[in-house]
Amino acid sequence: MQNTRTYAIESNDLSIHYGTFTAVRGVNLKIERQKITAIIGPSGCGKSTLLRSFNRMNDFVPGCYATGELLLQGQNLYSKDIDPVEVRRKIGMVFQKPNPFPKSIYENIAWGARINGFKGKMDDLVEQSLRSAALWEEVKDKLQESAYALSGGQQQRLCIARTIAIQPEIILMDEPASALDPISTLRIEELMQELKKNYTILIVTHNMQQAARASDYTAMMMIDDQRAGGVIEFDETKSIFTRPKDKRTEDYVTGRFG
Amino acid sequence: MKEEVLNIKATETQSFRQFDLKKKTRIGESVIQALLFFAGILSVLTTVAIVYELGKEAMLFFGNPDVTFAKFFGETKWQPGIGQYGIWALVSATLTTSAIAISISLPLGLAAAIYLSEYASPKARGILKPVLEILAGIPTVVYGYFALLFVTPILQNIFGDNIQVYNMLSAGLVMGIMILPLISSMSEDALSAVPRSLREAAYAMGATKLESSLQVVLPAALSGIGAALILGISRAVGETMIVAVASGAGPNFSFNPLEAAETMTGHIARISGGDLSYNSIDYTSLFAIALMLFLVTLVLNLISQYIVNRFRERYE
């Protein structure tokens, strides 16, 4: 019980399989509350697969299933009696490519709140969420316009805003800045620092500098000889980048590989 | 030494490689372009020719001193032979049967499309889709007798003496079944074309499958579904065989689905089947009906287009 109070989410020997193929093997991670944890590693090592297993998005991939445990407040998210819809209401997700709904800016935020049974004043929630995502000043005069009228960086912040609006415990981010220009990227990173005051953030990134500047903890993933990805090192970010214990991590973070 | 050799080689090839950037005539390109243009223009020309022919003959009808627009649009009895020119006697049946058909095929077709694109396992899809498409391949005359000999007796059991042997309800219902595969397969294409990322966004917000399907995917696919609806309406309004067989022979101004009434198409088919002398009022009146049919389809299309544009959600 002590443990589950300390950690936001915890995986025990979590493996993810596509049919007979094991894509991610034996992951043991203890994710700290209100910290940013980065998952890094070369392409195809299962970073996104692992991240998407945290809110059961992999359920939509035919033949994909998970073994092991993923504990949120002591409940195994992969036990049979867990409702994946409820899981996703507690663990939000921001995707690689901004994917706002083809609705108005206002409705993008209100929709999620409404389906989650939000009963309060919607106008206030919309404003609050947009402010938290550092987007309010830019869009306050055009809330009824289509979200597609926004720039890529603004769209991504809108996606973060709508995730915040449903008040999740954890926010998963799958390379949230990889489709954005450097300035938008920087804004997302600043935003993450603000958000971690209230939320636990897990981010997959290809960008080593991003992991180094923005995260508190880093999990290094690598593929094994059976093409299954696994976490080979998990530590505070500064240790991973300054004195990695694993030779492969060192090679990767110093750019000698990958 | 080795480097020197390489350098010489490079300059040699550069000086010998000559370019010709002048325009070349590509006969194949022009031939293809002409053929494609011809294919495109053909349907336009056909439409123009049909409208011209309809208009010309209809002019003869309206040129008759006995026929006035006031009678045509203002009266409800149609019997040109004895001076009754009220087109509403036929329009009412067309509107009634089409409305019944659409109110059957749109909800069912949409439901089938949503099931196929959002819920069905690949296996269920693989069976259901071809079966639905078989429905589209059945000749309409078969549907007509299906309505008259199978559906009407069932309706008679339900409504008893209130329903006539030939009635608009039976024809409309079966017409709806005929249009269903058209609506479902076009709508399914539209739903499947909605990017996966939108569904993922909805699910990641904690949406259920139903919430995602109805509130995110469906609105995004509305323009394609609208196209399906427009085509469905056009099919219903233009459908001839089913209504000719099952809905009754004889103009009757009525919106009561339990009554027999003849649609515009059914009337044209029946009258033109008899012996008509050219330039008789009965003959030219058929073109006026056809022109009216054109108009009804056009108006219904415009209305549904307006509705769709009003509610659709654009993604990129």
Side-chain angles (χ1 to χ4, degrees):
Chain A
M1 214 54 206
Q2 193 65 47
N3 271 350
T4 52
R5 285 266 175 266
T6 330
Y7 298 110
I9 194 163
E10 194 178 337
S11 77
N12 291 327
D13 200 25
L14 182 70
S15 299
I16 301 148
H17 318 267
Y18 293 107
T20 54
F21 172 65
T22 300
V24 174
R25 196 192 314 273
V27 172
N28 294 295
L29 286 177
K30 294 182 194 313
I31 307 298
E32 295 273 356
R33 271 173 198 289
Q34 288 163 29
K35 293 277 189 276
I36 298 172
T37 303
I39 303 175
I40 61 170
S43 296
C45 71
K47 303 185 294 290
S48 288
T49 304
L50 177 65
L51 190 78
R52 294 165 72 94
S53 76
F54 275 63
N55 66 343
R56 297 199 46 179
M57 285 303 279
N58 287 334
D59 287 15
F60 299 107
V61 182
C64 184
Y65 66 98
T67 51
E69 276 187 331
L70 185 63
L71 298 172
L72 179 74
Q73 292 187 349
Q75 304 180 74
N76 179 11
L77 300 186
Y78 279 97
S79 102
K80 283 240 175 335
D81 57 350
I82 292 287
D83 182 356
V85 170
E86 294 301 325
V87 171
R88 295 184 203 111
R89 290 178 177 186
K90 290 284 164 260
I91 306 180
M93 187 163 203
V94 177
F95 296 83
Q96 188 169 357
K97 227 181 119 220
N99 56 353
F101 299 119
K103 303 176 188 290
S104 67
I105 294 169
Y106 184 96
E107 198 53 31
N108 256 277
I109 292 165
W111 186 78
R114 207 179 297 126
I115 62 166
N116 280 279
F118 178 75
K119 290 280 187 292
K121 277 199 72 183
M122 194 57 88
D123 290 359
D124 294 346
L125 178 77
V126 170
E127 177 173 347
Q128 204 181 10
S129 307
L130 285 170
R131 280 190 192 282
S132 310
L135 191 59
W136 174 251
E137 291 303 323
E138 293 156 66
V139 302
K140 62 180 176 190
D141 298 324
K142 47 180 182 180
L143 291 176
Q144 294 310 325
E145 280 177 34
S146 166
Y148 282 75
L150 300 175
S151 73
Q154 290 173 323
Q155 286 185 14
Q156 196 62 302
R157 275 179 283 145
L158 180 64
C159 291
I160 293 173
R162 76 178 172 194
T163 304
I164 298 171
I166 62 171
Q167 308 276 305
E169 297 282 310
I170 301 169
I171 301 175
L172 308 175
M173 296 184 169
D174 190 357
E175 299 188 48
S178 67
L180 305 180
D181 63 73
I183 292 167
S184 305
T185 302
L186 200 66
R187 299 203 64 166
I188 300 277
E189 285 176 20
E190 286 167 2
L191 181 55
M192 283 162 51
Q193 299 307 320
E194 277 305 305
L195 291 176
K196 79 172 187 186
K197 292 173 187 159
N198 295 308
Y199 303 96
T200 304
I201 298 176
L202 239 94
I203 175 174
V204 161
T205 180
H206 256 124
N207 183 331
M208 222 63 64
Q209 288 95 331
Q210 187 172 57
R213 348 177 245 268
S215 71
D216 304 302
Y217 291 87
T218 297
M220 171 71 200
M221 287 185 75
M222 191 69 84
I223 216 163
D224 67 14
D225 47 9
Q226 284 157 322
R227 297 199 298 128
V231 173
I232 57 167
E233 191 167 353
F234 176 48
D235 208 335
E236 285 186 41
T237 298
K238 56 176 184 289
S239 316
I240 291 273
F241 281 89
T242 52
R243 38 193 154 69
K245 295 188 192 68
D246 194 298
K247 179 77 171 66
R248 291 169 294 176
T249 308
E250 188 183 344
D251 287 350
Y252 187 73
V253 299
T254 52
R256 241 170 286 172
F257 160 71
Chain B
M1 192 60 205
K2 219 175 181 186
E3 252 175 37
E4 247 176 38
V5 174
L6 278 176
N7 277 339
I8 288 166
K9 264 199 170 162
T11 45
E12 253 176 29
T13 38
Q14 249 166 26
S15 57
F16 275 102
R17 197 191 292 151
Q18 286 198 341
F19 297 103
D20 178 10
L21 299 175
K22 283 198 202 73
K23 269 188 186 164
K24 296 187 185 67
T25 43
R26 297 186 172 88
I27 293 171
E29 282 290 319
S30 352
V31 169
I32 282 293
Q33 200 179 337
L35 278 175
L36 294 178
F37 175 75
F38 177 73
I41 203 79
L42 193 64
S43 59
V44 176
L45 287 178
T46 314
T47 313
V48 170
I50 290 175
V51 172
Y52 169 76
E53 183 62 21
L54 283 182
K56 195 183 73 177
E57 300 285 343
M59 284 307 277
L60 287 176
F61 174 76
F62 287 115
N64 188 314
D66 199 26
V67 181
T68 61
F69 279 110
K71 281 184 183 170
F72 191 72
F73 289 109
E75 292 180 1
T76 56
K77 284 208 159 52
W78 179 262
Q79 218 161 352
I82 56 165
Q84 295 177 328
Y85 306 111
I87 190 72
W88 287 107
L90 299 169
V91 174
S92 67
T94 292
L95 290 180
T96 309
T97 50
S98 301
I100 295 169
I102 290 298
S103 57
I104 289 291
S105 58
L106 186 65
L108 282 182
L110 260 186
I114 291 173
Y115 174 74
L116 285 173
S117 107
E118 308 297 310
Y119 285 85
S121 66
K123 208 174 150 193
R125 225 179 103 97
I127 298 169
L128 266 174
K129 241 196 139 177
V131 170
L132 258 176
E133 273 152 19
I134 287 176
L135 271 185
I138 297 174
T140 53
V141 65
V142 175
Y143 276 115
Y145 283 98
F146 174 70
L148 184 63
L149 303 176
F150 184 80
V151 176
T152 300
I154 294 174
L155 294 175
Q156 281 172 322
N157 276 338
I158 300 170
F159 294 104
D161 288 341
N162 294 326
I163 194 163
Q164 299 175 0
V165 176
Y166 295 99
N167 62 79
M168 295 190 274
L169 182 59
S170 172
L173 289 176
V174 172
M175 213 150 78
I177 296 170
M178 179 200 75
I179 300 167
L180 198 144
L182 175 93
I183 297 210
S184 72
S185 97
M186 278 185 74
S187 304
E188 198 229 327
D189 288 345
L191 292 170
S192 303
V194 173
R196 227 177 86 117
S197 63
L198 282 185
R199 289 183 185 86
E200 288 194 329
Y203 290 138
M205 305 284 295
T208 61
K209 211 154 199 181
L210 189 68
E211 285 161 343
S212 155
S213 307
L214 291 186
Q215 298 175 31
V216 173
V217 181
L218 188 73
L222 214 55
S223 66
I225 292 167
L229 173 66
I230 288 170
L231 225 72
I233 291 176
S234 304
R235 270 309 290 277
V237 170
E239 171 50 35
T240 309
M241 214 52 218
I242 297 174
V243 286
V245 169
S247 137
N252 172 20
F253 177 71
S254 167
F255 292 99
N256 179 356
L258 303 180
E259 282 181 27
E262 197 169 42
T263 65
M264 294 188 274
T265 51
H267 186 77
I268 294 175
R270 185 170 60 90
I271 298 298
S272 60
D275 40 293
L276 279 177
S277 55
Y278 284 104
N279 298 330
S280 72
I281 190 80
D282 279 318
Y283 176 79
T284 52
S285 75
L286 296 184
F287 291 90
I289 300 171
L291 204 62
M292 187 66 192
L293 203 56
F294 226 78
L295 209 70
V296 169
T297 318
L298 189 72
V299 169
L300 290 178
N301 281 0
L302 288 178
I303 293 173
S304 38
Q305 221 153 39
Y306 170 79
I307 294 173
V308 165
N309 282 333
R310 173 78 182 66
F311 292 104
R312 71 185 285 200
E313 291 180 347
R314 263 168 226 273
Y315 57 92
E316 285 173 322

